[in-house]
Amino acid sequence: MFRKIWLLFSVAVLSMGIAVMGWGKEPIKIVMRTLWHEADARAAEMIINLFNNTHDDIQVELIQGGWAEYNLQLKLSVLAGNPPHIGTLLPEKIVELKDYLIPIDASPIGNLLRFAEFDLADLRPLAMELVQVDGHLYGIPIDNNVMGVYYNKDIFRAAGLDPDRPPQTLGEFLTAAEAIKAAGFAAWHPDSDGLPRKLRRAWYILFWQLGGELFDENYTRATFNNSKGLLALRFLVDTFGAFGFNERGANGVTQFGAGLLGMMGGGNWYYLQFVNVPFDWGIMAMPSFFGPAYTRISGSVFVIPRQPPGTPPEVYEAIMKVISFFITNSHIWTMYGGHITAYTPALQHPDLIASDYWQRGGKFLAEALQKGLGRYEIVHPKGSELEDVIQTYIDLAIKGTITPEEALARAEKECNRILQGP
Amino acid sequence: MRKYLKRYRANDAIIGFLYILPYVACWSIFLAYPVGYGFYLSLFCWDPLRGSQFVGFTNYQRLLFDPRFINAILVSLKFVVMTVPLVIFFGALMAFGLWYLRHYKKIVSISQALFFIPYTLSVSVIAITWRWLLDRNVGFFQYYMSQIGLPVLLVDPSLALPTIAFVTTWWIAGYRMLIFQAALEDIPVEVVEAAIIDGASFRVLVMKIFFPLLKPAMTFAIIFTIVMAFQMFGQVFLMTEGGPGRSTELLALYIYRSAFDYLDLGRAAAAGFILGILVLSVSLVWIKKGMKSALQ
Amino acid sequence: MRRGNITYVIVLTLLVGLSIIWFIPVIWMIGTAFKPQSDIFEVPPRIWPKRLVIDNVIVISTQWPVGQWFLNSFVVALGTTMLSLFLSIFAAYAFARLRWPGRDLLFVCLLIFMFVPWQINIVPLFFLASNLKLLNTLPGVILPMAGMPIGVFLLRQFFLNIPGEIEDAARVDGCGRLGILFRIIIPMSGPVLAAYSLYIFNYAWNEFLWSLICLQRRQVMTLTIGLKLIQGAYTRDYGLVMAGAFLGALPSFLMFILARRWMIRAFVMASSVGKG
């Protein structure tokens, strides 16, 4: 009789114990919402799967995609009280959305960097440039994406150029372009498919290389309607006109893919578009047309949207753990996604160095970044609107509808009007 | 007798309310409330975290003085003026052709399907498809067109919008074709054939028989297409991004950019309402016509 | 008679020619779906690829939950169609045949509100859906679409054109309002119901903007926005996109084929009723 009771009692205690342990082991669920698609999304999935498989106490639910409407969705979800735990933003947008984010060094439970498993100093300075606002850290940079140049090695050979020494200075560039033109191909496309947004970026690059600044320090007025802006725009217009390096309105992506274009400016992500083409090609850093070889960069940053009040400290700790894991494994990110990780130690990972992307020329893009040759686009709450204005007029100038002088004048006028508005 | 009718009428009212209730409930919650709230939003400078400021009609004022907004309105009007007649014309043409050849059942069936299929595709698919087809280098249409000297359509500031109008027509004319086909089914065939045998001219046939029959369907199709055309933006968003310059920046695209890119919801809402008023006024002419025949 | 023959031939050729040209882009789209990756940038361009591969379709169906998306789209489209029909038939009848206070005013309201574009509804709808716990659910997408007034307009118009004598006759025979609705009005409205169902099914299937905001978890996405997920922000794997588009267009097309047959049958019924 007593034995039975004793048995029952110990079974009860044992099961309660197991249940309690089981409850204790209930993993913390972290929701990570990214704006990534395709290749970078796949790379992110790989990393997160690795995390989920190696951690029992934290499980990450990864939701990806939604590039165009991401910012609005983030805002709305914070307002509605159900934000994701981790978000990703373009660094230029942090200034706009910072009120919706938690400063990492001043979170509801103090400085979250104490939970980080990496050293902040190991993150590339260029990537860290835009994540500090008003003295607080609003995000952890993941990578930079870079505008480089894709060049067709077979065309280079046909034009009598050395396929392993692509042009790096203005003189070399013009020589190469003329040679390619003489060989019967289109020589140069400044930026991928030639839609207004891309042409604007191409102009930025030339303008920056000349030492120009788009706006003054406090964004009170436009400062691009000057000789530098004009020279940059004229160079761009002539590319399609007087120089004859390409036709107006050409789509560089389809041209290059079809083997008709010698050199195409484009972001590092085009690597995946061209991976299967039937000709030999490589990637080089943006040449120096007019000065230091600045190129246009952007990136991705991990941010923590404002969580509803009463969020337990373990959640914040888990968030930092996930971010740390991602950062320290970001060689995977670069290998499969193409963007250059901001975590310098990852750039030396043997897998990455051996990969096709790196060997084809990805390493040159990383070099440019480490040298600090990257510039971000407009960083201002009205940035999108200003850029829409600028690209309209750049596009019209290149299409030949208005003169470069007029284009810059009109763009300046409208930008100033927008900046002075509410 | 009167008492009976009176009770029946009161009965009618109750039944009327009951019948209408489910629909109105759904409509007021999910359609009317957001629209009303949207109007409310348009009177503010939206900034939910720091406190939206009531600015009255300032948003509207600023818009009407913004050359970019005015341009968007003009582009939208141009687009509607180009697209609606094209869509109606092709829809009617196809419907008429199919009716005329109605004895060749197999051919009619297949042709009908071929015309209609584009309508079943979503806007992103048709935009990508056509963008690719009109690409200078690898586009099946543009490549050969350029070989014979025709300009590159999507890149030319004066040709881009008509091109988008054509693509839109290709996309949606099929559904109008169905509408007109349904209307044409009502034609008394024997009368028409008798008239043909009697030597009636084509013009008489069209005026006396087809037009009156197609009128209600046409009115409906026109209003419908106008409303759709004003609200479209998927094509320009994916094919030209509003370019070259601003020649294809439709008002709906401007609204989308205000809301999603500039995150300026007050302005987007105000622009949306101006668009609504615009659509209403353009359609009013046709609605009046439609109401007249409806009340007959 | 000879003149008639020649006209027939001309019209026939023109029509067939037009329909073939009309269909070329779709042929290209299908071809691209089955084109090998290396042939994407082919010059000079062809309508139909040299080789056909099913890699794209395989990649799409294995890497992404396309089956789930398909099902979701189907639920949304069918649900919207049925709900909309149910709500609109009753409402349209009430507008067309019954008298009650405020009827015309309400109708004008429906009309006016219809002209406001969707985009600005998104934000209030978002908060509404969030409060009603309808975010990331399929009903959250179905309900706003079912509220569209277009069905009410269409059906009301049609009901108005049905001669009143038929109903009076039925009423004399002792039929209640509900009976009239089900036994007379609905059968007679075959063509309109079919046309509207087709429209709303297609609309709901391709609905994009609101689904984009409302459905964020991958498992609840519909095919239209799922396909958008496959498109990169900068690059586009055109073969994949076209393969997905091909799959996505099939149901609408099938629905059209079915509805078409039914419409013809309904026409026949309608014309015999009219004559009798």
Side-chain angles (χ1 to χ4, degrees):
Chain A
M1 171 73 170
F2 273 112
R3 242 183 239 160
K4 272 196 192 151
I5 297 181
W6 177 237
L7 206 60
L8 221 61
F9 182 67
S10 33
V11 167
V13 167
L14 210 60
S15 37
M16 271 209 303
I18 295 178
V20 165
M21 280 200 326
W23 271 333
K25 278 263 156 69
E26 170 98 6
I28 303 179
K29 189 137 169 287
I30 296 291
V31 175
M32 183 158 130
R33 174 91 176 86
T34 79
L35 47 63
W36 299 322
H37 297 248
E38 244 206 304
D40 19 4
R42 283 205 273 276
E45 246 182 78
M46 278 191 234
I47 301 180
I48 295 298
N49 283 342
L50 203 58
F51 180 89
N52 282 340
N53 290 338
T54 52
H55 289 72
D56 289 326
D57 50 341
I58 311 175
Q59 289 292 294
V60 179
E61 184 187 341
L62 186 60
I63 309 172
Q64 314 221 58
W67 172 72
E69 57 289 335
Y70 185 84
N71 293 342
L72 184 62
Q73 273 185 335
L74 195 68
K75 258 194 176 180
L76 291 180
S77 60
V78 168
L79 291 172
N82 56 7
H85 294 108
I86 306 177
T88 62
L89 282 182
L90 298 179
E92 301 92 334
K93 297 295 176 196
I94 291 186
V95 135
E96 238 177 283
L97 290 162
K98 73 168 176 29
D99 293 331
Y100 293 81
L101 309 173
I102 295 181
I104 295 184
D105 52 343
S107 80
I109 61 165
N111 189 344
L112 292 176
L113 286 173
R114 66 183 189 273
F115 299 122
E117 287 161 18
F118 58 90
D119 192 349
L120 209 60
D122 279 333
L123 294 173
R124 178 166 53 234
L126 204 51
M128 290 291 293
E129 220 176 85
L130 296 181
V131 296
Q132 314 244 24
V133 186
D134 294 338
H136 286 295
L137 181 70
Y138 278 94
I140 309 281
I142 306 168
D143 65 33
N144 285 114
N145 54 64
V146 194
M147 287 263 304
V149 175
Y150 295 81
Y151 65 102
N152 186 325
K153 290 190 177 173
D154 287 342
I155 290 184
F156 264 52
R157 291 188 190 105
L161 301 162
D162 182 354
D164 296 316
R165 283 214 59 233
Q168 285 297 295
T169 68
L170 183 61
E172 289 171 9
F173 171 79
L174 290 174
T175 318
E178 291 290 342
I180 297 174
K181 200 170 127 193
F185 299 97
W188 163 246
H189 195 292
D191 192 343
S192 61
D193 62 13
L195 281 184
R197 190 161 40 106
K198 318 295 195 316
L199 294 174
R200 161 175 54 87
R201 296 203 297 231
W203 176 67
Y204 280 176
I205 291 178
L206 295 171
F207 183 60
W208 287 329
Q209 288 194 358
L210 282 165
E213 285 295 335
L214 289 166
F215 293 91
D216 62 341
E217 183 94 33
N218 294 317
Y219 282 93
T220 58
R221 58 188 179 81
T223 54
F224 51 75
N225 187 9
N226 50 33
S227 54
K228 295 182 180 152
L230 214 48
L231 178 57
L233 188 50
R234 283 219 191 96
F235 189 80
L236 207 52
V237 170
D238 287 339
T239 302
F240 295 101
F243 298 163
F245 290 155
N246 212 329
E247 289 170 359
R248 278 203 192 114
N251 180 334
V253 176
T254 54
Q255 263 185 339
F256 191 81
L260 300 167
L261 177 61
M263 300 183 279
M264 181 191 97
N268 53 255
W269 51 87
Y270 281 104
Y271 167 77
L272 299 139
Q273 185 101 79
F274 298 137
V275 135
N276 288 320
V277 291
F279 52 82
D280 191 14
W281 59 277
I283 306 176
M284 62 169 169
M286 186 66 66
S288 155
F289 294 104
F290 294 123
Y294 285 119
T295 182
R296 176 255 180 205
I297 65 172
S298 184
S300 285
V301 178
F302 277 131
V303 293
I304 307 179
R306 291 232 296 227
Q307 300 296 311
T311 305
E314 304 88 65
V315 171
Y316 288 108
E317 198 180 326
I319 290 176
M320 289 310 290
K321 279 222 177 100
V322 174
I323 293 180
S324 304
F325 185 84
F326 202 101
I327 301 280
T328 49
N329 285 293
S330 51
H331 62 280
I332 301 178
W333 176 247
T334 304
M335 275 172 71
Y336 294 99
H339 306 308
I340 314 284
T341 170
Y343 188 57
T344 326
L347 290 175
Q348 272 117 31
H349 200 283
D351 287 349
L352 176 58
I353 298 192
S355 70
D356 176 65
Y357 172 62
W358 210 246
Q359 293 301 316
R360 244 190 228 282
K363 57 187 174 195
F364 299 128
L365 300 179
E367 246 176 66
L369 283 175
Q370 297 297 101
K371 286 190 213 161
L373 288 172
R375 295 289 303 266
Y376 290 99
E377 295 184 37
I378 299 178
V379 181
H380 187 266
K382 295 193 178 157
S384 310
E385 211 178 337
L386 294 167
E387 301 199 314
D388 274 346
V389 164
I390 296 176
Q391 77 193 30
T392 304
Y393 292 111
I394 302 281
D395 187 36
L396 285 175
I398 293 179
K399 297 282 182 343
T401 314
I402 55 181
T403 66
E405 291 82 359
E406 212 186 315
L408 291 182
R410 283 209 224 164
E412 178 189 45
K413 191 161 154 233
E414 259 188 69
C415 282
N416 285 341
R417 196 175 55 88
I418 293 174
L419 286 173
Q420 273 142 28
Chain B
M1 182 63 174
R2 258 202 211 139
K3 253 196 194 166
Y4 173 70
L5 278 173
K6 244 199 204 162
R7 212 186 340 149
Y8 211 65
R9 285 226 184 93
N11 216 8
D12 258 12
I14 297 177
I15 295 187
F17 275 128
L18 277 178
Y19 278 13
I20 204 86
L21 200 60
Y23 176 74
V24 171
C26 186
W27 175 79
S28 31
I29 297 177
F30 292 101
L31 243 64
Y33 164 70
V35 170
Y37 189 81
F39 182 70
Y40 178 69
L41 263 185
S42 72
L43 300 174
F44 282 77
C45 190
W46 192 67
D47 196 347
L49 287 188
R50 266 171 272 176
S52 310
Q53 279 180 313
F54 181 75
V55 289
F57 286 97
T58 315
N59 280 329
Y60 291 90
Q61 233 179 343
R62 284 181 54 217
L63 280 176
L64 292 172
F65 283 103
D66 182 356
R68 187 152 172 225
F69 181 72
I70 302 292
N71 175 72
I73 292 186
L74 286 175
V75 171
S76 285
L77 283 173
K78 270 193 255 181
F79 180 70
V80 170
V81 164
M82 282 189 265
T83 310
V84 174
L86 271 178
V87 170
I88 302 289
F89 172 71
F90 272 100
L93 189 73
M94 294 184 236
F96 183 69
L98 290 179
W99 176 85
Y100 193 72
L101 298 169
R102 65 194 169 288
H103 298 302
Y104 299 84
K105 293 237 167 84
K106 263 278 155 75
I107 292 189
V108 164
S109 187
I110 297 179
S111 286
Q112 188 189 41
L114 294 185
F115 283 132
F116 188 74
I117 286 181
Y119 186 70
T120 62
L121 301 171
S122 70
V123 67
S124 42
V125 172
I126 63 132
I128 296 175
T129 302
W130 276 97
R131 185 166 161 204
W132 201 255
L133 285 172
L134 291 176
D135 182 273
R136 169 69 180 82
N137 306 112
V138 297
F140 185 72
F141 286 147
Q142 187 66 60
Y143 181 79
Y144 296 109
M145 280 165 63
S146 300
Q147 300 287 67
I148 59 175
L150 289 175
V152 182
L153 290 179
L154 285 182
V155 162
D156 188 323
S158 49
L159 292 178
L161 195 61
T163 308
I164 304 249
F166 255 108
V167 173
T168 309
T169 305
W170 174 85
W171 184 34
I172 62 178
Y175 189 68
R176 278 64 179 168
M177 170 192 75
L178 280 191
I179 296 178
F180 292 148
Q181 266 197 301
L184 284 177
E185 292 282 331
D186 281 343
I187 293 179
V189 180
E190 309 82 33
V191 173
V192 174
E193 297 197 332
I196 295 181
I197 294 179
D198 280 349
S201 74
F202 196 64
R203 189 172 297 172
V204 166
L205 274 180
V206 169
M207 294 304 226
K208 285 274 160 81
I209 302 183
F210 291 116
F211 242 54
L213 266 163
L214 281 184
K215 233 191 185 183
M218 211 173 260
T219 314
F220 170 69
I222 291 179
I223 299 178
F224 195 55
T225 311
I226 291 180
V227 174
M228 271 191 82
F230 268 113
Q231 297 190 11
M232 281 188 179
F233 85 104
Q235 305 94 296
V236 292
F237 185 54
L238 293 166
M239 283 172 83
T240 61
E241 285 187 2
R246 294 213 174 114
S247 58
T248 59
E249 190 173 71
L250 295 175
L251 191 48
L253 180 62
Y254 179 85
I255 295 175
Y256 176 86
R257 281 196 172 142
S258 299
F260 288 76
D261 285 342
Y262 315 157
L263 299 179
D264 189 346
L265 288 181
R267 183 181 3 166
F273 271 93
I274 296 183
L275 176 59
I277 295 176
L278 189 65
V279 182
L280 187 59
S281 14
V282 172
S283 318
L284 217 52
V285 170
W286 303 98
I287 292 177
K288 282 220 169 108
K289 276 193 187 171
M291 285 256 159
K292 264 194 211 148
S293 52
L295 294 172
Q296 267 162 6
Chain C
M1 279 312 275
R2 249 199 215 154
R3 217 197 270 162
N5 266 347
I6 292 185
T7 327
Y8 262 95
V9 168
I10 294 179
V11 175
L12 190 66
T13 337
L14 284 177
L15 191 77
V16 170
L18 184 64
S19 50
I20 291 181
I21 297 179
W22 207 261
F23 200 61
I24 287 180
V26 181
I27 296 179
W28 180 87
M29 181 193 105
I30 300 178
T32 309
F34 295 100
K35 200 184 276 192
Q37 257 276 37
S38 48
D39 288 350
I40 293 279
F41 288 114
E42 214 180 358
V43 167
R46 306 160 55 94
I47 269 290
W48 196 251
K50 274 182 277 202
R51 298 180 289 140
L52 291 178
V53 298
I54 53 169
D55 294 348
N56 293 323
V57 179
I58 290 183
V59 165
I60 281 222
S61 25
T62 53
Q63 280 200 8
W64 307 87
V66 184
Q68 180 72 42
W69 290 345
F70 212 80
L71 199 65
N72 292 336
S73 275
F74 200 72
V75 168
V76 167
L78 199 65
T80 309
T81 308
M82 288 179 12
L83 186 60
S84 181
L85 278 178
F86 177 76
L87 296 176
S88 304
I89 290 180
F90 281 101
Y93 187 72
F95 275 120
R97 285 281 183 260
L98 302 172
R99 289 184 184 284
W100 38 278
R103 180 184 77 166
D104 293 323
L105 183 63
L106 186 59
F107 190 69
V108 172
C109 275
L110 286 188
L111 184 73
I112 296 194
F113 277 52
M114 192 171 84
F115 289 99
V116 181
W118 257 116
Q119 283 114 339
I120 52 176
N121 290 347
I122 300 285
V123 174
L125 259 183
F126 180 84
F127 290 123
L128 186 67
S130 184
N131 291 335
L132 294 175
K133 302 271 186 292
L134 287 175
L135 279 185
N136 285 313
T137 64
L138 296 181
V141 179
I142 293 179
L143 286 166
M145 282 199 280
M148 292 201 311
I150 188 85
V152 177
F153 281 139
L154 209 56
L155 296 179
R156 169 184 176 276
Q157 192 71 2
F158 192 81
F159 291 170
L160 282 176
N161 283 333
I162 295 179
E165 301 84 46
I166 299 183
E167 284 181 58
D168 293 339
R171 221 184 294 166
V172 165
D173 280 349
C175 220
R177 283 291 185 188
L178 210 61
I180 294 180
L181 197 58
F182 278 97
R183 266 175 235 164
I184 299 184
I185 305 282
I186 291 185
M188 280 193 77
S189 319
V192 181
L193 292 181
Y196 179 62
S197 309
L198 186 60
Y199 169 75
I200 197 79
F201 187 88
N202 198 45
Y203 184 91
W205 185 270
N206 285 331
E207 205 286 322
F208 186 72
L209 211 55
W210 171 237
S211 313
L212 197 59
I213 303 284
C214 179
L215 303 174
Q216 296 198 30
R217 302 270 195 270
R218 197 185 275 198
Q219 292 302 108
V220 291
M221 284 185 174
T222 58
L223 197 60
T224 328
I225 50 179
L227 289 181
K228 184 171 185 288
L229 212 59
I230 298 180
Q231 295 171 29
Y234 303 105
T235 65
R236 301 206 148 96
D237 194 338
Y238 288 98
L240 274 189
V241 171
M242 289 307 163
F246 177 64
L247 293 175
L250 281 179
S252 263
F253 177 52
L254 290 171
M255 171 91 186
F256 159 66
I257 296 209
L258 289 171
R260 181 170 67 163
R261 292 244 175 87
W262 187 38
M263 253 161 35
I264 297 177
R265 249 182 243 143
F267 283 143
V268 172
M269 259 174 32
S271 47
S272 59
V273 166
K275 283 186 188 144

